[in-house]
């Protein structure tokens, strides 16, 4: 399927580098929480720090949304073992850095993380509704446009031309996901995606969230967000 002209393909690094000039959903989340927090981050006085949870989430997005070939091209699996102890070297050690450099990859997951990722991928693929939402579309597509007089940008997890935009979330317990969605502002995030997409293309897309657990039994759920809920968040 041919990529639409308005859907930009670029790396996450390039996208985040442009966040100084373009408003994103995460920046809006900071502003809703505290305008002072937003200002300090935008001024460079607070720098977002990466975390193992964020890194794992990115790996899950790559495998589930972009496919195994892309995942294997971008991620090394495993790591060097200390011959004296039989334990893996830590990710901050020189031995680990050398191993990663020799792998030719920029990122890595442990063997245990790789197994977990495969279980999560399987949970999504065997769900009765989820596979159609992430097939015959475009992963990590970027849109930039002016919305409400402000230069904005979005990076959609997945855009399916017929079924709409899709956001993938990982979670600890699917039972409480709807509560977590409210607590973390997921509806506001997706509403912003929908608004920017509509502004740039005049497409009034449906919106879905796929959530998958990061531990047994690796349950997967799919929500189609009611337009009224998105209107309220917007």
């Amino acid at each position: 399927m041919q990529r639409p002209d308005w859907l930009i393909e670029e790396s996450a690094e390039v996208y985040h580098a442009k966040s100084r000039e373009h408003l994103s959903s995460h920046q809006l989340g900071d502003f809703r929480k505290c305008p002072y927090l937003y200002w300090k981050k935008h001024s460079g006085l607070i720098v977002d720090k990466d975390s193992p949870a964020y890194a794992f989430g990115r790996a899950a997005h790559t495998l589930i949304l972009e496919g195994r070939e892309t995942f294997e091209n971008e991620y090394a699996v495993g790591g060097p073992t200390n011959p004296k102890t039989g334990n893996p070297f830590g990710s901050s050690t020189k031995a680990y850095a050398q191993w990663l450099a020799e792998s030719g990859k920029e990122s890595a997951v442990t063997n245990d993380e790789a197994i977990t990722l495969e279980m999560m991928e399987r949970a999504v693929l065997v769900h009765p509704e989820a596979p159609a939402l992430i097939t015959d579309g475009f992963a990590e597509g970027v849109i930039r446009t002016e919305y409400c007089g402000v230069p904005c940008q979005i990076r959609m997890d997945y855009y399916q031309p017929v079924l709409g935009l899709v956001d993938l979330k990982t979670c600890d317990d699917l039972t409480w996901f709807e509560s977590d969605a409210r607590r973390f502002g997921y509806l506001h995030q997706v509403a912003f995606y929908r608004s920017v997409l509509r502004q740039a293309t005049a497409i009034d897309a449906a919106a879905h969230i796929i959530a998958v657990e990061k531990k047994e039994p690796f349950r997967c759920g799919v929500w189609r967000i009611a337009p009224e809920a998105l209107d309220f968040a917007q």
Side-chain angles (χ1 to χ4, degrees):
M1 182 178 296
Q2 185 175 357
R3 178 180 290 268
D5 293 339
W6 44 262
L7 194 61
I8 303 167
E9 184 177 11
E10 67 184 23
S11 68
E13 290 75 18
V14 172
Y15 176 79
H16 292 305
K18 293 181 180 292
S19 64
R20 294 298 299 274
E21 294 82 32
H22 297 83
L23 187 66
S24 68
S25 64
H26 292 293
Q27 292 173 325
L28 275 177
D30 288 337
F31 190 87
R32 287 194 305 273
K33 183 177 181 179
C34 174
Y36 188 42
L37 172 66
Y38 164 83
W39 177 82
K40 295 194 80 169
K41 284 190 175 183
H42 194 263
S43 301
L45 299 175
I46 297 177
V47 179
D48 283 324
K49 296 180 179 179
D50 205 3
S51 70
Y54 285 141
F56 181 83
R58 288 195 299 272
H61 277 67
T62 301
L63 178 60
I64 295 171
L65 300 178
E66 299 185 67
R68 184 164 297 275
E69 182 178 354
T70 300
F71 177 81
E72 292 177 351
N73 286 337
E74 295 184 3
Y75 283 86
V77 177
T81 300
N82 188 328
K84 296 181 180 179
T85 64
N87 296 321
F89 280 106
S91 58
S92 61
T93 62
K94 182 178 180 180
Y96 186 91
Q98 182 179 351
W99 168 80
L100 185 59
E102 292 174 351
S103 74
K105 313 294 175 60
E106 294 187 2
S107 304
V109 295
T110 66
N111 289 320
D112 288 343
E113 287 174 333
I115 292 172
T116 298
L117 289 168
E118 289 179 0
M119 296 298 290
M120 294 168 66
E121 178 194 30
R122 174 174 172 77
V124 173
L125 294 179
V126 301
H127 189 279
E129 303 292 339
L133 293 171
I134 55 173
T135 302
D136 295 329
F138 308 94
E140 309 295 348
V142 173
I143 297 177
R144 291 191 181 90
T145 191
E146 187 172 286
Y147 173 59
C148 294
V150 179
C152 296
Q153 66 177 15
I154 60 173
R155 185 178 174 90
M156 297 176 289
D157 285 349
Y158 204 88
Y159 177 72
Q160 214 291 335
V162 175
L163 299 176
L165 62 91
V166 182
D167 207 46
L168 174 66
K169 301 296 184 185
T170 61
C171 64
D172 289 322
D173 192 329
L174 201 67
T175 303
W176 312 113
F177 180 74
E178 291 189 10
S179 298
D180 289 341
R182 296 183 180 92
R183 182 160 63 102
F184 294 123
Y186 292 162
L187 291 186
H188 291 81
Q189 178 184 6
V190 176
F192 181 66
Y193 289 171
R194 184 188 68 161
S195 297
V196 172
L197 173 64
R198 179 192 290 157
Q199 181 72 20
T201 67
I203 295 173
D204 195 13
H208 301 78
I209 292 179
I210 299 174
V212 58
E213 290 178 330
K214 296 181 286 186
K215 61 183 182 182
E216 291 284 2
F218 298 103
R219 292 178 296 171
C220 177
V222 173
W223 285 260
R224 184 181 188 277
I225 307 175
E228 296 81 5
L230 292 173
D231 291 342
F232 180 81
Q234 180 181 333

